[in-house]
Amino acid sequence: MPIDIASLRSDYTKKSLDRSHVADDPIVQFTLWFEEAIASEVMEPNAMSLATVKPSGQPSCRIVLLKGIEDQGFVFYTNYSSHKGAEINHSPLAALTFFWPELERQVRIEGRMERVPEAVSDAYFASRPYESQLGAWVSPQSQVIADRDFLENRLQELKKEFEDKPLTRPPHWGGFLLRPSQIEFWQGRASRLHDRLLYQKENQKWTISRLAP
């Protein structure tokens, strides 16, 4: 039988979101929610949708993993030569979305991307498991390859090449920091009357507004 997609719905009743109960700084507020997501054993709490823009103007979106929360913003790592790396190089404007269904929460972030200092990328790369370090060297991310064997053969070649040698960070791989200009916190509520608080940065200060659901 065909699935009646239009009838799929849930009512959200777990929590509420009020201006008097949130931090003045959205990075602090995000950290509180993020820690709660971890404590609630949300699956992949650091998974986030990253939206960038192609030179043609076509939006592009994929899931990546948050790897750092800084006073200035949010950090993730990737191959700079990948599609997303090229798109960020073309236009630094980007957006992130976190969705934690177990808590009936969503966070939307917009801002500008910049590369993190090389020393920061070096330190994170050194902290990764050896197999993940190899993977960063093996994969020409986003490029067309003939088959799976290409990756498997390249992996074996690099294992021999780097045998008994420490792996350094590939020059084409590193971190991006998104400096937010606005962050929206969304809490599901009953009857689709959700709570939405929007932080916007104006003259280096954050203002908070309530949005209609």
Side-chain angles (χ1 to χ4, degrees), residues 12-14 18 35 37 45-46 50 56 70 83 136 153 166-167 173:
Y12 302 127
T13 59
K14 289 185 177 180
D18 189 82
E35 290 174 347
N46 60 330
L50 165 65
S56 65
E70 309 291 341
H83 285 168
N153 293 336
L167 275 173
W173 190 97

Side-chain angles (χ1 to χ4, degrees), residues 11-46:
D11 207 19
Y12 302 127
T13 59
K14 289 185 177 180
K15 296 178 181 290
S16 62
L17 181 62
D18 189 82
R19 170 65 184 91
S20 62
H21 296 147
V22 297
D24 292 332
D25 186 322
I27 304 295
V28 173
Q29 182 61 38
F30 178 88
T31 302
L32 292 172
W33 270 24
F34 188 72
E35 290 174 347
E36 189 171 346
I38 293 173
S40 299
E41 299 184 345
V42 168
M43 180 179 291
E44 297 281 19
N46 60 330

Side-chain angles (χ1 to χ4, degrees), residues 85-105:
E87 289 158 12
I88 292 169
N89 186 59
H90 164 72
S91 172
L93 299 179
L96 307 172
T97 301
F98 293 84
F99 180 50
W100 300 312
E102 295 89 342
L103 297 174
E104 300 173 351
R105 285 176 174 170

Side-chain angles (χ1 to χ4, degrees), residues 26-139:
I27 304 295
V28 173
Q29 182 61 38
F30 178 88
T31 302
L32 292 172
W33 270 24
F34 188 72
E35 290 174 347
E36 189 171 346
I38 293 173
S40 299
E41 299 184 345
V42 168
M43 180 179 291
E44 297 281 19
N46 60 330
M48 59 187 185
S49 171
L50 165 65
T52 52
V53 182
K54 297 181 179 180
S56 65
Q58 172 67 48
S60 181
C61 192
R62 77 289 287 159
I63 302 298
V64 298
L65 297 178
L66 177 72
K67 288 300 179 178
I69 305 171
E70 309 291 341
D71 291 341
Q72 300 85 6
F74 306 87
V75 177
F76 72 96
Y77 293 84
T78 189
N79 186 316
Y80 289 140
S81 300
S82 65
H83 285 168
K84 56 184 170 297
E87 289 158 12
I88 292 169
N89 186 59
H90 164 72
S91 172
L93 299 179
L96 307 172
T97 301
F98 293 84
F99 180 50
W100 300 312
E102 295 89 342
L103 297 174
E104 300 173 351
R105 285 176 174 170
Q106 175 181 250
V107 183
R108 298 175 59 239
I109 305 165
E110 296 179 8
R112 296 179 67 89
M113 288 286 189
E114 61 186 53
R115 292 191 184 189
V116 303
E118 290 189 2
V120 174
S121 290
D122 289 341
Y124 174 71
F125 185 82
S127 75
R128 304 182 87 204
Y130 182 71
E131 294 296 331
S132 296
Q133 292 178 339
L134 278 172
W137 280 98
V138 167
S139 175

Side-chain angles (χ1 to χ4, degrees), residues 163-181:
E163 188 175 10
D164 299 324
K165 298 178 184 177
L167 275 173
T168 57
R169 177 179 62 89
H172 57 264
W173 190 97
F176 281 111
L177 167 74
L178 184 140
R179 290 183 180 270
S181 57

